[in-house]
Amino acid sequence: MDVIVIETTQLGDRSYLVHDGSVALVIDPQRDTDRVEAAARGAGVRITHVAETHIHNDYITGGLELARAHGASYLVNAADPVTFERQPIADGQTVRVGALSVKAVATPGHTHTHLSFIVNDGEQQAVFSGGSLLYGSVGRTDLVGTEDTLGLTHDQYASVRRLAGEAAPGAGLFPTHGFGSFCSSGPASGAGSSTIGAQLTSNHALTDPDEDHFVQELIANLTAYPSYYAHMGVANTAGPGPADLTVPEALDAGELMRRLEAGEWVVDLRRRVAFASSHLKGSVSFGYGNSFSTYLGWVMPWGEQLTLVGSRADVENAIRDLARIGVDSPDAALGTDPHFLAPRAAVASFPCVGWDGVPATRSGGADAVVDVRRTEEYAASRVAGPVNVPLHELLPRLADLPVGRLWVHCTSGYRAGIAASLLQRAGRDVVLIDARFDDAEAAGIQLEKSGVAFGGG
């Protein structure tokens, strides 16, 4: 048995191609299935089965289209209310994939109908746990609904213990979530690989003997998750269509100007410092990178027309990333020079500074520091005296911000760059603090932690 990992770092997830040298099972494929197909070609194997551990909440699956394209059996929990043809599978059932035996194990917790798969080849064993048992923790239990969270958290505690009991200690563990995905919860270890035996000694879901304590602790530490998650389960239950990854014909300058003037979402993919120095007035900054689709999908109202502006490579990558979360068919204007893209359009800018450029005294004045990190980040440690409005809450809370100039920061500068562009688009006077939060104290910025001020003047 060989396990090939297909990493989607942009969403913090993994898909898997498991094969015996001849035929293969694919587990939890992302919507851009060409990566899985390339892995299968490279291994010289034929895809005969595709399996879902659960109806995903953080991405659009490619499972249905992949199964159709290869005439493969599509293994989906018999209890899932899907409307497409699949091979229903339930707890305890076993399917043969060439020399491999694939056993379904019910592991409710992340969802009510979650399955894990234990794969054997007679010598080796591998456990594909989806959003159940992760490296150091478990999948979050609040995505189905608030009223289900308590029960699902109890389910999660029991499920991972049953799964660990059914698998051999030496079995490799291959979760779908837990690599930066907002679908994970608790103290995920950040490890790249693990075994069932290693988790038995290190995972709090397996080492905490008090189920009620585990449940209370996990629920207390659940944090905000992207708003686009609300649309993923619906699409995956209905059966999503294929991803269209083609780059559209570029918009001309006149149409681009019309969209800017109409207040449409025109997203500049360049790095935030380049955007700050010069950009088309009315555009917003979401620099292309690993966090791009998560934050754009979180901040942009669902269903809005989207126009991407940037280099062909960035636009092409952005289209792929957005397809994974169901944002289809964006338009594009190709180019990185605002003056070239729309010669008659207004061009704007805003200042970009490090911590040493932030005024030492702001209280009572016309300036305010705005921290756009999440509430739990702010609670742990913060600049003294800022306003905290998490990025994903910024647009509905614009009226909560003080008047005057706003100095915007986050952890690395990425979210602050987005926030600064949104604030300028809303007519505010902004300054981007493009600096790491961890460097603030050394620059003389006063910090607070757990309600106690610390740090230099």
Side-chain angles (χ1 to χ4, degrees):
M1 173 170 54
D2 189 19
V3 179
I4 298 174
V5 179
I6 296 96
E7 193 104 35
T8 304
T9 56
Q10 295 87 343
L11 297 177
D13 289 329
R14 288 178 175 178
S15 305
Y16 300 98
L17 180 82
V18 194
H19 68 85
D20 65 356
S22 177
V23 296
L25 162 70
V26 179
I27 297 175
D28 290 344
Q30 294 269 341
R31 196 179 184 194
D32 51 328
T33 56
D34 56 338
R35 295 181 299 154
V36 177
E37 292 172 322
R41 287 194 302 272
V45 296
R46 180 168 54 90
I47 296 171
T48 60
H49 292 75
V50 179
E52 303 284 6
T53 58
H54 60 292
I55 301 296
H56 302 285
N57 289 295
D58 65 331
Y59 66 85
I60 300 294
T61 181
L64 178 60
E65 287 300 319
L66 187 65
R68 285 173 172 171
H70 293 267
S73 297
Y74 190 27
L75 305 177
V76 177
N77 195 323
D80 283 325
V82 297
T83 59
F84 48 81
E85 184 177 349
R86 44 80 190 270
Q87 179 177 336
I89 189 168
D91 181 41
Q93 290 185 334
T94 298
V95 174
R96 297 295 304 186
V97 181
L100 307 178
S101 170
V102 182
K103 180 182 178 181
V105 179
T107 47
H110 189 49
T111 68
H112 289 293
T113 57
H114 192 286
L115 293 174
S116 296
F117 297 97
I118 300 177
V119 181
N120 276 288
D121 67 358
E123 297 180 1
Q124 295 178 301
Q125 192 178 80
V127 178
F128 298 89
S129 56
S132 181
L133 184 64
L134 311 183
Y135 297 161
S137 190
V138 294
R140 66 188 303 151
T141 56
D142 60 333
L143 298 180
V144 173
T146 304
E147 68 280 4
D148 295 309
T149 300
L150 179 61
L152 283 171
T153 309
H154 280 284
D155 289 344
Q156 191 75 298
Y157 183 82
S159 289
V160 297
R161 287 164 172 260
R162 179 195 172 193
L163 182 63
E166 292 211 14
L173 179 64
F174 299 92
T176 300
H177 304 314
F179 310 98
S181 168
F182 282 92
C183 274
S184 62
S185 62
S189 68
S193 63
S194 190
T195 63
I196 292 294
Q199 293 305 304
L200 284 167
T201 62
S202 62
N203 191 306
H204 69 131
L206 298 173
T207 59
D208 190 338
D210 187 334
E211 180 174 343
D212 288 335
H213 174 264
F214 166 82
V215 168
Q216 292 167 11
E217 183 181 58
L218 189 142
I219 291 175
N221 286 285
L222 291 170
T223 58
Y225 57 85
S227 57
Y228 67 81
Y229 277 25
H231 306 279
M232 302 297 97
V234 175
N236 287 327
T237 300
D244 181 0
L245 304 180
T246 58
V247 176
E249 184 177 345
L251 298 177
D252 61 29
E255 178 59 18
L256 181 58
M257 284 182 61
R258 186 199 68 75
R259 295 184 181 203
L260 289 164
E261 292 166 357
E264 293 187 12
W265 276 74
V266 177
V267 171
D268 192 317
L269 301 175
R270 294 175 300 154
R271 305 306 180 254
R272 56 187 176 271
V273 174
F275 180 91
S277 67
S278 179
H279 55 268
L280 293 169
K281 184 177 180 181
S283 62
V284 291
S285 174
F286 284 82
Y288 181 73
N290 279 347
S291 298
F292 162 76
S293 58
T294 294
Y295 285 110
L296 181 57
W298 201 340
V299 172
M300 187 181 76
W302 189 257
E304 290 280 330
Q305 175 60 52
L306 173 63
T307 303
L308 302 173
V309 178
S311 68
R312 186 176 187 86
D314 280 349
V315 168
E316 187 171 2
N317 288 329
I319 288 172
R320 178 180 291 269
D321 289 3
L322 291 170
R324 294 174 182 147
I325 63 168
V327 179
D328 291 323
S329 304
D331 291 320
L334 302 179
T336 58
D337 183 346
H339 298 90
F340 172 80
L341 286 164
R344 291 177 296 165
V347 174
S349 64
F350 50 76
C352 179
V353 301
W355 287 115
D356 56 358
V358 180
T361 304
R362 295 172 303 276
S363 58
D367 290 10
V369 171
V370 179
D371 182 340
V372 296
R373 296 176 302 154
R374 297 189 301 277
T375 53
E376 68 273 14
E377 297 174 276
Y378 175 80
S381 181
R382 57 203 169 273
V383 173
V387 177
N388 177 226
V389 180
L391 174 61
H392 61 275
E393 299 178 10
L394 186 62
L395 289 181
R397 292 183 57 189
L398 289 173
D400 295 344
L401 296 170
V403 298
R405 171 171 277 197
L406 303 175
W407 300 69
V408 189
H409 86 87
C410 64
T411 299
S412 67
Y414 184 78
R415 285 173 287 176
I418 297 170
S421 72
L422 292 169
L423 289 167
Q424 186 191 57
R425 185 172 181 250
R428 300 304 304 268
D429 182 12
V430 296
V431 179
L432 168 61
I433 303 173
D434 184 39
R436 294 184 58 80
F437 179 76
D438 288 347
D439 297 332
E441 184 181 5
I445 300 296
Q446 184 181 13
L447 301 182
E448 295 175 348
K449 186 175 182 179
S450 301
V452 179
F454 69 100

